Amino acid sequence: MEIYRVATVAGVEILRQRQLKDSVPDLQWVSGRIERYVFLLTQLAAIGKSKLAYMRKASCLL
């Protein structure tokens, strides 16, 4: 199984497409922090979709 990475800008776009309402700097931070892995971005977006700033505060990303 291959794990795909994307640029930070594309990672932010993935998160925004998943309707996250966090600020762009927060989304950039999250995308960079998990090293832009597409699978992880989509999974975290599903968890944090209804929780503003959840991903920035998630202890697993700190």
Side-chain angles (χ1 to χ4, degrees):
M1 177 179 177
E2 288 188 48
I3 298 177
Y4 295 98
R5 293 172 72 172
V6 294
T8 300
V9 173
V12 170
E13 185 58 30
I14 289 168
L15 296 172
R16 292 183 66 95
Q17 286 175 355
R18 299 289 190 284
Q19 301 173 350
L20 278 130
K21 305 215 182 340
D22 299 71
S23 68
V24 171
D26 280 351
L27 296 178
Q28 290 170 333
W29 181 87
V30 169
S31 180
R33 190 73 176 153
I34 61 173
E35 300 181 352
R36 305 170 308 274
Y37 288 106
V38 175
F39 177 75
L40 292 175
L41 286 169
T42 57
Q43 296 305 300
L44 285 172
I47 293 169
K49 184 176 179 179
S50 62
K51 303 170 186 167
L52 185 61
Y54 168 80
M55 293 175 36
R56 178 75 168 186
K57 296 175 187 174
S59 61
C60 64
L61 297 175
L62 298 177

